[in-house]
């Protein structure tokens, strides 16, 4: 049995000092990661509104999520969040709520007496001042996911639930890594992760070395053909094709901000474009579909690790 939270609780979160005098009663989430962690901690009754969705909610939370207002599929307005009268806003990405957040800055919420908490996975080992999706200054680790779960559990005084969730995710992570270690994979196995593109045919957003996909590849002994430290750099298809990854992982999502958000459009492009259709991964049908949310630094990254290990076990590299 974990110790109860001793309020007032003070934390430094993504460089900002925050204090809680009691467990939050009303929360709005800006980001699917924060939403699903709160649901996993048994805190759905505290969530009064959600936003920024890439994929359907985890199946075990479908019923409870259906009863909670979705303020926006993508970026909510500052007014829409404030109108729910939350005492805490939990955030997945600093580019939504941060120094130059497109929803608001943290100060704007704090001036209204509304606390904010940004998931550490988006700021630990990461510089978000570089624009876009930010740049990793060191490799992403699932420790930042576990840190976020543990701190939210402490904020809401549900430490036992936090410890149980971390233990479950850690077990799944270790099991997937062990499974991959027993596969007969080529020593020089390479891959690329394609999240989306602003339009089909233009340079795609592919995973850099140090983000969540980089973590998956490192744990499974795969070389990332994209050498950038940016979270999601744009790299021309000619460059990707020249590197010729053995495996191509493509994101599946409900979001339709860009044409290439649609996984069917991704597949059609890969098989029809004169450059991409000559890639080994395409010609040999070594294309893996992965939940887009798993490609971000979230607890679903561990599910992505599992699904990639499973997909590799069914592939032939001869």
């Amino acid at each position: 049995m974990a110790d109860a939270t001793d309020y007032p609780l003070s934390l430094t979160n993504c460089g900002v000092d925050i204090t809680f005098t009691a467990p939050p009663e009303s929360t709005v989430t800006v980001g699917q990661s924060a939403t699903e962690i709160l649901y996993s901690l048994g805190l759905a009754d505290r969530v009064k509104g959600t936003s920024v969705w890439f994929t359907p909610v985890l199946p075990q939370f479908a019923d409870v999520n259906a009863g909670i207002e979705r303020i926006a599929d993508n970026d909510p307005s500052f007014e829409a969040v404030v109108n729910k009268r939350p005492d805490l806003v939990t955030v997945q990405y600093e580019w939504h709520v941060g120094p130059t957040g497109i929803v608001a800055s943290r100060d704007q919420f704090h001036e209204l007496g509304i606390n904010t908490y940004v998931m550490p996975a988006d700021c630990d080992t990461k510089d978000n001042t570089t624009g876009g999706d930010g740049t990793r200054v060191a490799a992403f680790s699932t420790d930042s996911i576990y840190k976020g779960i543990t701190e939210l559990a402490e904020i809401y005084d549900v430490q036992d639930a936090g410890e149980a969730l971390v233990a479950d995710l850690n077990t799944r992570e270790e099991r997937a890594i062990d499974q991959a270690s027993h596969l007969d994979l080529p020593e020089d196995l390479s891959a690329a992760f394609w999240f989306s593109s602003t339009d089909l045919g233009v340079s795609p957003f592919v995973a850099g070395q140090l983000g969540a996909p980089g973590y998956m590849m490192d744990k499974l002994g795969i070389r990332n053909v994209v050498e950038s430290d940016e979270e999601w750099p744009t790299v021309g298809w000619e460059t990707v094709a020249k590197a010729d990854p053995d495996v191509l992982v493509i994101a599946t999502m409900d979001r339709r901000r860009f044409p290439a958000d649609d996984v069917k459009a991704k597949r059609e492009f890969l098989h029809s474009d004169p450059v991409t259709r000559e890639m080994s991964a395409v010609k040999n049908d070594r294309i893996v579909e992965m939940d887009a949310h798993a490609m971000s630094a979230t607890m679903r990254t561990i599910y992505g690790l599992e699904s990639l290990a499973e997909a590799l076990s069914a592939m032939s590299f001869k």
Side-chain angles (χ1 to χ4, degrees), residues 60-82:
Q60 63 267 37
F61 303 124
D63 289 344
V64 69
N65 186 66
I68 296 173
E69 181 182 352
R70 181 177 293 201
I71 298 172
D73 290 334
N74 294 305
D75 313 327
S77 68
F78 177 59
E79 293 77 12
V81 176
V82 170

Side-chain angles (χ1 to χ4, degrees), residues 56-219:
V57 72
L58 290 168
Q60 63 267 37
F61 303 124
D63 289 344
V64 69
N65 186 66
I68 296 173
E69 181 182 352
R70 181 177 293 201
I71 298 172
D73 290 334
N74 294 305
D75 313 327
S77 68
F78 177 59
E79 293 77 12
V81 176
V82 170
N83 285 344
K84 299 302 292 182
R85 300 183 182 278
D87 48 20
L88 174 64
V89 176
T90 55
V91 182
Q92 180 170 343
Y93 299 116
E94 273 198 311
W95 67 271
H96 276 126
V97 178
T100 57
I102 62 172
V103 175
S105 69
R106 299 182 74 173
D107 284 345
Q108 285 176 274
F109 283 112
H110 297 175
E111 288 168 1
L112 297 177
I114 301 170
N115 237 327
T116 59
Y117 181 86
V118 178
M119 300 309 298
D122 194 56
C123 58
D124 288 3
T125 75
K126 191 176 176 202
D127 180 2
N128 288 315
T129 66
T130 60
D133 292 299
T135 301
R136 290 281 170 184
V137 296
F140 159 79
S141 165
T142 50
D143 288 346
S144 63
I145 302 297
Y146 301 146
K147 175 182 175 182
I149 293 169
T150 300
E151 288 187 340
L152 283 173
E154 187 176 16
I155 289 168
Y156 286 90
D157 195 17
V158 290
Q159 287 89 330
D160 286 343
E163 289 180 3
L165 179 56
V166 168
D168 175 64
L169 291 171
N170 193 46
T171 297
R172 295 178 66 163
E173 179 182 13
E174 292 176 352
R175 187 184 301 127
I177 294 170
D178 181 67
Q179 176 188 354
S181 71
H182 291 89
L183 298 178
D184 185 20
L185 300 175
E187 289 186 7
D188 60 345
L189 186 65
S190 63
F193 278 60
W194 178 20
F195 190 86
S196 190
S197 309
T198 55
D199 204 350
L200 290 164
V202 304
S203 297
F205 296 109
V206 289
Q209 291 276 336
L210 302 177
Y215 150 83
M216 291 184 225
M217 286 184 268
D218 178 66
K219 293 300 182 184

